[in-house]
Amino acid sequence: MAKVLCVLYPDPVTGYPPRYVRDDIPVITQYPNGQTVPSPQGPLGFKPGELVGCVSGELGLRSYLEAHGHQLVVTSDKDGADSTFDKHLVDADVVISQPFWPAYLTAERIAKAKKLKLALTAGIGSDHVDLKAAAAHGVTVAEETFSNSISVAEHVVMMVLSLVRNYLPAHQYAVNGGWNIADCVSRSYDLEGMHFGTLGAGRIGLAVLRRLKPFDVKLHYYQRHRLAPEVEAELGLIHHETPEDLVKVCDIINLQMPLYPSTEGFFNERMLSLVKRGAYLINTARGALCDRDAIVKALESGQLAGYAGDVWFPQPAPVDHPWRTMPYNGMTPHISGSSLSGQARYAAGTLEILQCFFEGKPIRPEYLIVDGGNLAGTGASSYKLS
Ligand code: NDP
């Protein structure tokens, strides 16, 4: 019998289950690169479209795990040495955590977790796990690659339009009973003709570029490996040799690269000094890619015209985190990858990985981040250990 310790975000304050506003979600069978969606054996423990990402939703895993004699512990209490997470970690075989409400699996915690064999991210982005320590302790790390990439790409497009069109302040005028058109439009522009650049054009970054193409914007990207020439030609992409070259010419900059030790604090005062005055910055990748206080200063000085994102450090962000109240922000809590549609896919992917793990079958390489003491599968191309 294995002990599976699962950390999920708390239930809705109005209770669980919520009253669903729609009866179904579209059926998606494959991702844009041809990869198939998760295919666990047997019944799912939930109906796609249900809220399974919170504690009472349990990712729909209980029926499968208990039918196979395993123990499932689900909690949202994840921080501090007295947390429920720390208490159960010492004899857990599997930990499931998620970027939205990350149980930070630090080197110290991994050292305490003597029985831990699998650290599973329900979603994408395993930077809350110390990958070096996981590799050293022989812990396999896996995530459900592609499960919520399109969910995030759609969120980015929404944030681009919201910032450029000044949607959020204008909406607030309407809510507050006002009608001052001049105040609303004095920061409102058309997206058409602007230069949009993404730092990182992987699964999400490329999906964003594809979605913005019909807006007649000029599309730029930077990453170390160039996209295929036919993709560059199809989208009319301008590739830059360095991130600095890109940020100097773009009106809107999107961060879509992973967080690993050498990208921490990447968008700092120096990078901000290079952007065009009045640029917009979007970040749905990871909060720690940016220098927190430098972003606030750039918004206050007008160097940035807006900043929107859903990722913070740490998470949940403290109530006095300056990004909650800085001017011209379009921040949300970390929600972009946890739409009900995205949840259905990452919950099914979690079940698929658990079934492989318990039945001794190989986990799909696209789901692997660390395996056999080193980066593996997707991890080998997306992450670095230093
Ligand atoms: P991918 O691995 O598909 O793409 C990341 C891209 O970043 C790669 O193409 C890589 O190309 C590029 N890259 C790596 N290092 C750098 C660098 N230093 N500078 C510029 N580009 C770089 O990842 P995804 O698109 O699936 O996801 C990207 C990130 O988004 C995730 O790591 C995660 O942090 C975040 N995410 C957020 C979610 C949310 O809910 N907000 C949900 C899912 C993911 P190359 O190696 O050629 O440089």
Side-chain angles (χ1 to χ4, degrees):
M1 185 189 96
K3 178 169 178 176
V4 178
L5 174 57
C6 183
V7 181
L8 298 172
Y9 47 76
D11 286 354
V13 290
T14 46
Y16 186 91
R19 191 156 181 271
Y20 295 104
V21 295
R22 296 180 53 80
D23 298 325
D24 57 17
I25 58 172
V27 176
I28 309 284
T29 54
Q30 65 174 39
Y31 302 121
N33 67 348
Q35 181 189 317
T36 53
V37 297
S39 50
Q41 306 300 308
L44 281 176
F46 62 95
K47 179 173 174 265
E50 286 176 353
L51 177 63
V52 286
C54 63
V55 170
S56 292
E58 298 182 326
L59 297 174
L61 295 174
R62 187 167 294 278
S63 50
Y64 164 77
L65 288 172
E66 291 189 347
H68 289 79
H70 304 301
Q71 183 194 359
L72 174 65
V73 176
V74 186
T75 183
S76 61
D77 181 24
K78 67 184 183 72
D79 294 320
D82 296 330
S83 63
T84 307
F85 177 67
D86 264 61
K87 195 174 111 212
H88 286 280
L89 182 62
V90 285
D91 62 348
D93 300 274
V94 178
V95 164
I96 303 171
S97 180
Q98 44 169 202
F100 320 105
W101 186 263
Y104 294 102
L105 214 39
T106 58
E108 297 72 42
R109 277 176 156 172
I110 289 174
K112 277 199 289 185
K114 301 277 183 238
K115 291 179 70 185
L116 186 63
K117 291 174 217 59
L118 177 65
L120 228 168
T121 298
I124 301 177
S126 297
D127 48 274
H128 60 283
V129 179
D130 186 319
L131 298 180
K132 208 170 170 177
H137 285 77
V139 175
T140 295
V141 182
E143 60 186 47
E144 296 81 34
T145 303
F146 238 131
S147 58
N148 57 14
S149 307
I150 302 303
S151 323
V152 180
E154 290 185 2
H155 202 88
V156 173
V157 173
M158 173 182 79
M159 287 178 158
V160 169
L161 286 163
S162 300
L163 288 185
V164 173
R165 309 281 323 187
N166 203 34
Y167 168 62
L168 291 169
H171 173 65
Q172 206 52 52
Y173 263 95
V175 171
N176 294 346
W179 197 263
N180 193 326
I181 310 285
D183 279 324
C184 295
V185 300
S186 59
R187 296 182 67 93
S188 174
Y189 297 88
D190 288 356
L191 185 56
E192 184 182 21
M194 283 192 172
H195 290 255
F196 171 90
T198 184
L199 297 170
R203 283 170 291 271
I204 301 173
L206 179 57
V208 171
L209 291 167
R210 286 196 191 288
R211 279 155 181 73
L212 285 178
K213 172 77 177 155
F215 285 90
D216 287 334
V217 288
K218 314 273 187 312
L219 298 171
H220 302 245
Y221 81 103
Y222 162 78
Q223 63 178 10
R224 292 159 303 182
H225 305 91
R226 276 183 85 147
L227 294 167
E230 52 276 21
V231 175
E232 288 193 354
E234 174 203 338
L235 299 174
L237 299 181
I238 301 160
H239 175 259
H240 293 269
E241 290 299 326
T242 67
E244 286 82 358
D245 288 348
L246 180 144
V247 304
K248 281 179 193 164
V249 296
C250 285
D251 304 290
I252 308 149
I253 299 156
N254 178 48
L255 295 184
Q256 215 70 74
M257 73 246 251
L259 175 69
Y260 40 74
S262 58
T263 56
E264 204 174 316
F266 160 80
F267 222 94
N268 54 18
E269 212 160 307
R270 186 186 76 85
M271 286 297 265
L272 285 160
S273 72
L274 301 176
V275 306
K276 286 174 72 174
R277 190 186 78 83
Y280 304 91
L281 185 59
I282 314 284
N283 180 9
T284 57
R286 285 296 178 260
L289 289 169
C290 293
D291 177 329
R292 186 193 71 175
D293 297 336
I295 297 291
V296 178
K297 251 172 73 185
L299 287 164
E300 286 169 352
S301 72
Q303 182 66 359
L304 285 181
Y307 180 98
D310 70 328
V311 284
W312 312 64
F313 184 78
Q315 289 188 180
V319 281
D320 61 352
H321 194 295
W323 288 5
R324 291 181 186 270
T325 49
M326 63 191 178
Y328 314 118
N329 87 78
M331 296 301 295
T332 63
H334 193 161
I335 59 165
S336 65
S338 198
S339 58
L340 295 175
S341 324
Q343 284 176 45
R345 290 186 294 271
Y346 68 68
T350 302
L351 178 58
E352 178 185 326
I353 294 171
L354 285 173
Q355 289 175 341
C356 291
F357 175 73
F358 287 127
E359 291 166 25
K361 294 183 187 155
I363 295 170
R364 294 192 205 196
E366 60 256 37
Y367 291 163
L368 286 175
I369 303 301
V370 167
D371 195 34
N374 213 337
L375 292 173
T378 289
S381 53
S382 292
Y383 289 92
K384 285 183 179 173
L385 292 183
S386 56

